[in-house]
């Protein structure tokens, strides 16, 4: 009696796997990025994280002038999450150019500079100064910080405000412009369409969710700035819904950001329609989380003979969602 041969699915060979993604004119070796605010200006991670494996690092958000940020305490734990109220503390645009930018040029990954502002004119001025300096790969325009009054999220909460910022920066650069949207709006799709109509190359969805925690003994907020932004595993399912709303509304690439802790989280966002993803708060537990997320994505693709993420992107089945 001859034994019937069983057919085992073969793993995909490493040379046949292509995880590269394109965000406008910005080409990344893979979709895993380190979110703004987690890596300082990028060079702090050199020697700690294998940046040669990461798709890109997004710097801390820069404003025209240096900012000390909000009063402490600036961090507070929440159930399955972290609240922060940093308040865009940064060295300012000129100091970044003169002291930090030259170090970033030597890093073996793409550098995306995050830009914030208190007026459309300020956004445009920062982009122009950075464009003249060069030595990086793209811009992320932050119109979503929930921790600064009269800046950030104040622009990102209306289609007109968001469009005005993109209109101010678009003529200043030919590099990719990625706009970071806030999830703290009623209809994020409207904001997304407004940004794309003014020339955004890609959208990051999104930022932290506005949150509050109170000390019942002192009756005061736990954070020095009062409210803060909630991140971490608690917001992943909320972020997933926001990404789905945006990918259904626009045709430019969408970068998922919010609660990604492992490769399965990342793959969920890709199935919903994200092109790339940013790892944020999970880095505070383990700085190598982005590398581990990438390794898990590669493993899944090889085991399932997926040659590129385009084969998976946007394959979530309706109407079950």
């Amino acid at each position: 009696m001859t034994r019937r041969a069983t057919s085992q699915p073969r793993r995909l060979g490493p040379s046949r796997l292509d995880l590269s993604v394109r965000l406008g004119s910005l080409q990344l070796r893979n979709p895993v990025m380190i979110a703004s605010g987690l890596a300082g200006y990028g060079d702090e991670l050199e020697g700690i994280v294998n940046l040669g494996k990461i798709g890109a690092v997004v710097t801390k958000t820069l404003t025209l002038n240096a900012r000390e940020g909000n009063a402490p305490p600036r961090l507070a734990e929440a159930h399955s999450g972290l609240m922060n109220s940093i308040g865009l503390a940064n060295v300012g645009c000129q100091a970044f150019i003169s002291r930090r930018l030259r170090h970033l040029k030597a890093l073996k990954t793409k550098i995306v500079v995050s830009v914030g502002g208190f007026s459309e004119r300020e956004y445009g001025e920062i982009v122009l100064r950075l464009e003249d300096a060069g030595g990086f790969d793209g811009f992320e325009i932050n119109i979503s910080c929930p921790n600064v009054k009269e800046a950030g999220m104040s622009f990102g909460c209306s289609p007109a405000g968001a469009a005005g910022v993109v209109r101010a920066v678009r003529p200043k650069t030919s590099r990719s412009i990625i706009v970071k949207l806030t999830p703290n709006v009623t209809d994020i799709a409207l904001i997304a369409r407004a940004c794309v109509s003014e020339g955004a190359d890609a959208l990051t969805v999104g930022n932290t969710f506005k949150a509050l925690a109170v000390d019942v003994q002192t009756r005061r907020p736990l954070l020095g700035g009062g409210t803060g932004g909630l991140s971490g595993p608690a917001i992943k399912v909320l972020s997933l819904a926001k990404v789905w709303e945006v990918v259904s509304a626009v045709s430019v690439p969408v970068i998922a950001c919010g609660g990604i802790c492992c490769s399965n989280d990342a793959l969920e966002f890709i199935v919903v329609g994200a092109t790339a993803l940013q790892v944020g708060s999970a880095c505070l537990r383990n700085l190598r989380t982005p590398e581990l997320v990438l390794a898990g994505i590669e493993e899944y693709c090889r085991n399932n003979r997926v040659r590129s993420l385009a084969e998976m992107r946007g394959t979530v089945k309706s109407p079950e969602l």
Side-chain angles (χ1 to χ4, degrees):
M1 180 177 177
T2 57
R3 181 175 296 176
R4 185 176 182 181
T6 57
S7 60
Q8 295 289 336
R10 290 184 304 162
R11 279 167 54 90
L12 189 71
S15 62
R16 302 181 69 183
L17 178 60
D18 178 9
L19 293 183
S20 63
V21 296
R22 178 171 287 278
L23 308 169
S25 60
L26 177 60
Q27 178 90 20
L28 307 185
R29 62 167 67 93
N30 63 62
V32 180
M33 307 169 71
I34 298 179
S36 176
L38 271 299
Y41 300 98
D43 50 340
E44 293 94 332
L45 293 178
E46 193 173 20
I48 302 173
V49 176
N50 185 352
L51 294 176
K53 283 193 169 183
I54 304 302
V57 171
V58 186
T59 71
K60 198 171 180 54
T61 296
L62 295 172
T63 50
L64 192 58
N65 299 310
R67 288 179 51 82
E68 293 187 356
N70 291 338
R74 295 176 175 178
L75 296 175
E77 285 193 51
H79 294 301
S80 299
L82 177 71
M83 293 172 54
N84 89 80
S85 178
I86 305 299
L88 296 183
N90 73 97
V91 299
C93 179
Q94 199 55 48
F96 173 79
I97 291 172
S98 60
R99 301 174 193 169
R100 310 302 295 263
L101 196 51
R102 63 188 176 89
H103 297 294
L104 302 186
K105 295 177 182 177
L107 299 183
K108 297 176 180 177
T109 189
K110 300 289 186 181
I111 299 297
V112 176
V113 178
S114 176
V115 172
F118 291 81
S119 67
E120 294 173 3
R121 181 176 174 278
E122 182 173 339
Y123 277 98
E125 179 67 23
I126 298 171
V127 168
L128 187 58
R129 290 190 187 189
L130 287 164
E131 183 67 21
D132 289 342
F136 61 98
D137 302 289
F139 290 99
E140 184 174 81
I141 307 300
N142 183 356
I143 57 169
S144 54
C145 176
N147 300 321
V148 178
K149 295 178 181 177
E150 300 175 351
M153 201 172 80
S154 64
F155 294 101
C157 284
S158 74
V165 171
V166 181
R167 194 181 307 125
V169 300
R170 180 70 278 177
K172 304 293 194 300
T173 180
S174 59
R175 299 175 202 270
S176 277
I177 289 180
I178 303 164
V179 182
K180 189 169 186 174
L181 305 181
T182 174
N184 300 295
V185 292
T186 302
D187 190 343
I188 194 171
L190 280 178
I191 313 294
R193 289 193 194 99
C195 293
V196 173
S197 70
E198 296 295 338
D201 296 298
L203 303 171
T204 298
V205 181
N207 206 317
T208 55
F209 285 77
K210 195 171 185 178
L212 173 67
V214 174
D215 184 327
V216 296
Q217 297 300 324
T218 64
R219 311 292 172 89
R220 292 179 179 280
L222 290 182
L223 295 173
T227 59
L230 178 65
S231 60
I235 71 168
K236 192 204 79 177
V237 291
L238 303 174
S239 302
L240 202 61
K242 294 296 181 183
V243 167
W244 179 66
E245 289 179 47
V246 173
V247 298
S248 301
V250 299
S251 57
V252 301
V254 170
I255 305 165
C257 180
I260 297 173
C261 299
C262 63
S263 58
N264 193 75
D265 293 340
L267 290 166
E268 279 189 78
F269 280 104
I270 290 166
V271 168
V272 166
T275 295
L277 51 105
Q278 295 183 1
V279 181
S281 298
C283 293
L284 298 178
R285 293 179 63 88
N286 184 353
L287 280 171
R288 294 191 62 243
T289 300
E291 293 177 63
L292 298 175
V293 168
L294 175 61
I297 293 173
E298 291 174 339
E299 183 72 7
Y300 177 90
C301 289
R302 286 172 185 150
N303 287 341
N304 292 277
R305 299 188 62 78
V306 175
R307 291 181 172 79
S308 78
L309 293 179
E311 297 176 22
M312 295 180 61
R313 187 174 305 126
T315 55
V316 64
K317 296 178 180 176
S318 296
E320 287 81 2
L321 185 66

